[in-house]
Amino acid sequence: MNHSTGALSGVKVLDLSRVLAGPWCTQTLADLGADVVKVERPQAGDDTRHWGPPFLKDAAGNDTRQASYFAACNRNKRSLTVNMAHPEGQALLRRMAQEADVVVENFKTGGLAQYGLDYESLKRLNPRLVYCSITGFGQDGPYAERAGYDLMVQALCGLMSITGHADGAPGGGPLRMGVAVVDLFTGLYASNAILAALHARNATGEGQYIDMALLDVGMAVLANQASGFLATGAAPQRAGNIHPSLAPYQDFATSDGNVLLAIGNDGQFQRFCAAAGHDAWSQDERFATNTARVRNRPALLALMEPLMRTRTTAEWIALLEDKAVPCGPINTIAQAFDDPQVRARGLRVDLPRDAGDGIATVSGVASPLRLSATPVTYRNAPPALGQHTDEVLRGLGLDSAAIAALRAAGAV
């Protein structure tokens, strides 16, 4: 393994999580330099290894049996296969926890107690341990025992009720987001909580327990929509791509497609009107301020929609890009990766993998974390199942005979 010089270099993370929220958290820590050992079930591994198509391709361009989903959230980690139900497997993980700084797990509430891998058990072995549990609904409350999935929480917390077109509009009805945003946000909040706990440990010398719940995060990221409800008692409604508090801030049809216009203040609206040849609109009392534009949105759109159809998407972008008026295309993901700014920022990373499985390179999206002195490093591609088992066990001081004995016993 290439050693890290990142901000979290020297931090050891025992990753007992699967699917997305936990692995997203631990990938963030790994990108920042932590040594993350991902513990997986022998033969099966993380569920997302099988969530395909699409699948990773071999050097000849043929589909393998390894789903690309797994690659999204498991780079820079080492894969260790351990049978958690086996006493020797449990003992091995407890030994690793004694040397770890952080444990991350997303088993059902209380699910690891039977293996002696719950926080109270591991805290007795390692009082400095920061232990993060990620569940659907948290460690207490009437839903604590329920399994929780991103889609369920998007529905329960109200996020789907504000996503999609209005009921009376074409295609109207609640929609989930195009990616599992509650899982992803939970991973990010969890990594923040872990960093805070590690910082607190510097002062106290002791670790602590972190209780992360998808539902808590789903409610938190309602953000201004939640605060609007709390201020007024009126539940926000779906409005497609229209912003409830800004206008014009939405997509518009052009002569050859669509364009996004995101006007966030009165100055931007004045500059738009000048560029479009309609200065009078910004002087009209119905549209002079953002509040007025929101209240008179139908009248504003009645004027703007025909105007926006008079130019192509590229012509609108060219007209407005030097006027400090936010305007851009609505790209496919393929177009996004081909965008010159995306290319300039190096947002595609191609990581070599030598796991003997025919997959020479795994591509992914670069970390958005840009630290000047301790930058993110890309040390390992997302690992093959059990790729680093021997390496990790040797690092614990086990010799070849001991490792072979664990394999023979079915512990790893």
Side-chain angles (χ1 to χ4, degrees), residues 27 55 81 91 108 150 158 164 210 225 244 280 300 379:
Q27 179 173 268
F55 295 96
T81 51
K108 67 179 183 180
D150 176 277
I210 299 168
Q225 296 279 37
L300 177 63
R379 306 177 303 284

Side-chain angles (χ1 to χ4, degrees), residues 286-377:
R286 295 174 299 168
F287 312 134
T289 67
N290 178 69
T291 298
R293 291 192 296 276
V294 171
R295 288 176 175 164
N296 294 286
R297 193 192 306 268
L300 177 63
L301 294 183
L303 295 173
M304 287 191 64
E305 286 172 349
L307 171 69
M308 299 302 292
R309 290 192 181 94
T310 63
R311 289 181 168 91
T312 67
T313 297
E315 287 170 344
W316 277 116
I317 293 171
L319 178 67
L320 298 173
E321 65 183 350
D322 64 346
K323 310 293 193 308
V325 177
C327 177
I330 302 175
N331 284 335
T332 65
I333 292 176
Q335 290 169 328
F337 273 110
D338 198 40
D339 184 278
Q341 183 66 14
V342 172
R343 288 178 174 270
R345 294 287 285 178
L347 294 178
R348 171 177 174 155
V349 291
D350 300 305
L351 301 178
R353 185 164 101 177
D354 183 16
D357 58 2
I359 298 173
T361 304
V362 181
S363 300
V365 183
S367 170
L369 303 175
R370 306 286 175 119
L371 286 74
S372 63
T374 53
V376 162
T377 56

Side-chain angles (χ1 to χ4, degrees), residues 98-236:
Q98 283 183 272
E99 300 181 10
D101 298 286
V102 178
V103 167
V104 179
E105 60 91 7
N106 62 347
F107 285 73
K108 67 179 183 180
T109 300
L112 288 178
Q114 61 183 315
Y115 306 124
L117 297 171
D118 57 303
Y119 175 62
E120 292 302 327
S121 297
L122 296 183
K123 178 183 178 182
R124 290 192 289 270
L125 301 175
N126 180 4
R128 291 176 53 81
L129 186 65
V130 173
Y131 190 111
C132 179
S133 292
I134 299 174
T135 58
F137 300 103
Q139 299 296 311
D140 53 22
Y143 299 168
E145 299 299 323
R146 292 186 185 179
Y149 295 91
D150 176 277
L151 180 60
M152 293 169 53
V153 175
Q154 283 197 41
L156 184 63
C157 75
L159 184 59
M160 286 178 63
S161 77
I162 56 171
T163 304
H165 293 292
D167 286 338
L175 287 174
R176 70 173 180 87
M177 299 291 288
V179 293
V181 288
V182 177
D183 274 339
L184 298 175
F185 272 118
T186 301
L188 292 173
Y189 273 110
S191 62
N192 273 273
I194 288 167
L195 295 177
L198 290 172
H199 180 72
R201 190 180 71 174
N202 291 335
T204 67
E206 294 197 353
Q208 58 183 293
Y209 182 74
I210 299 168
D211 171 12
M212 294 296 309
L214 270 64
L215 178 61
D216 298 358
V217 171
M219 296 295 293
V221 300
L222 293 173
N224 58 294
Q225 296 279 37
S227 64
F229 164 74
L230 294 172
T232 66

